[in-house]
């Protein structure tokens, strides 16, 4: 298996860093969007002890850039997306502190992959949302512009709640 951290930008990682992996199905729409939003929010708050990455439960798009629609909508709100898609590995459960899933299916699939002695706590990313009652991040892949905007709305709300904690 390839180095699961080959995607993480090379930057200094303090020893007390909190590592967060976002998980969706294809790793080209929702989870790389989450990664970009949380990274920018952390930067804005002056928090440099976080490491963010993302992965998919499927390997359909391994090595590909994010969906151009996700990149376009994220950029309109000031988020930069440079992630290359990868599939989650068992090592991720040992290395990350949190695995935050976009929907219940990702959550169930992640739980089915847990190796012995995992470090990661698996949660729905929407557990952190501060506004509205978002229960999951809907898959926008076969959707329209509004669906891509909704993904960002939900993830911005989740990021706000996450850092407030
Ligand atoms: P994501 O969206 O899980 O948010 O990255 C999808 C991307 C690709 C596919 C499904 C969902 N696909 O079927 O290829």
């Amino acid at each position: 298996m390839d180095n699961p951290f080959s995607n993480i930008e090379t930057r200094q990682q303090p020893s007390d860093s909190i590592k967060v992996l976002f998980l969706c199905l294809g790793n080209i729409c929702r989870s790389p969007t989450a990664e970009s939003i949380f990274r920018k929010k952390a930067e804005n708050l002056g928090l440099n002890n976080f490491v963010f990455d993302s992965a998919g439960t499927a390997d359909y798009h391994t090595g590909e850039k994010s969906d151009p629609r996700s990149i376009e909508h994220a950029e309109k709100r000031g988020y930069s997306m440079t992630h290359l898609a990868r599939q989650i590995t068992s090592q991720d459960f040992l290395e990350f502190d949190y695995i935050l899933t976009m929907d219940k299916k990702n959550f169930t699939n992640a739980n089915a992959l847990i190796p012995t002695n995992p470090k990661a706590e698996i949660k729905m990313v929407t557990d952190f949302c501060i506004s509205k009652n978002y229960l999951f991040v809907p898959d926008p892949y076969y959707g329209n512009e509004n669906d891509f905007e909704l993904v960002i709305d939900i993830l911005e709300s989740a990021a706000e709640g996450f850092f407030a904690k």
Side-chain angles (χ1 to χ4, degrees):
M1 185 69 65
D2 290 337
N3 173 4
F5 292 108
S6 58
N7 252 340
I8 295 178
E9 288 174 41
T10 45
R11 60 179 70 198
Q12 203 176 357
Q13 293 180 12
S15 54
D16 64 343
S17 62
I18 299 167
K19 296 182 179 173
V20 183
L21 182 74
F22 298 98
L23 186 68
C24 63
L25 172 61
N27 192 214
I28 57 169
C29 297
R30 293 167 292 172
S31 61
T33 302
E35 182 192 332
S36 303
I37 290 172
F38 276 64
R39 183 176 292 128
K40 178 89 185 287
K41 298 268 185 215
E43 278 170 15
N44 288 347
L45 291 166
L47 302 172
N48 62 3
N49 60 326
F50 283 91
V51 174
F52 299 106
D53 191 13
S54 64
T57 55
D59 67 352
Y60 312 143
H61 298 281
T62 296
E64 293 178 18
K65 289 181 183 169
S66 298
D67 188 300
R69 297 166 295 175
S70 291
I71 294 174
E72 183 191 326
H73 286 273
E75 281 181 350
K76 273 201 280 184
R77 292 207 212 177
Y79 305 110
S80 154
M81 291 179 61
T82 57
H83 183 77
L84 299 180
R86 71 174 182 88
Q87 190 175 26
I88 192 168
T89 69
S90 53
Q91 186 67 19
D92 289 324
F93 293 85
L94 310 178
E95 299 285 350
F96 284 88
D97 297 287
Y98 295 99
I99 296 176
L100 303 185
T101 73
M102 299 297 123
D103 63 31
K104 204 75 194 172
K105 196 160 184 197
N106 314 143
F107 181 85
T108 303
N109 287 336
N111 275 282
L113 294 170
I114 298 174
T116 45
N117 298 323
K119 176 177 171 188
E121 189 179 338
I122 305 169
K123 293 175 82 75
M124 293 277 289
V125 72
T126 45
D127 288 351
F128 294 95
C129 285
I130 53 152
S131 57
K132 299 195 185 164
N133 201 13
Y134 297 125
L135 298 179
F136 65 100
V137 186
D139 185 349
Y141 190 63
Y142 294 107
N144 60 30
E145 289 195 357
N146 293 337
D147 299 305
F148 282 86
E149 287 295 311
L150 178 62
V151 166
I152 300 176
D153 290 341
I154 297 172
L155 292 171
E156 284 185 333
S157 176
E160 225 173 296
F162 180 86
F163 292 114
K165 286 192 177 178

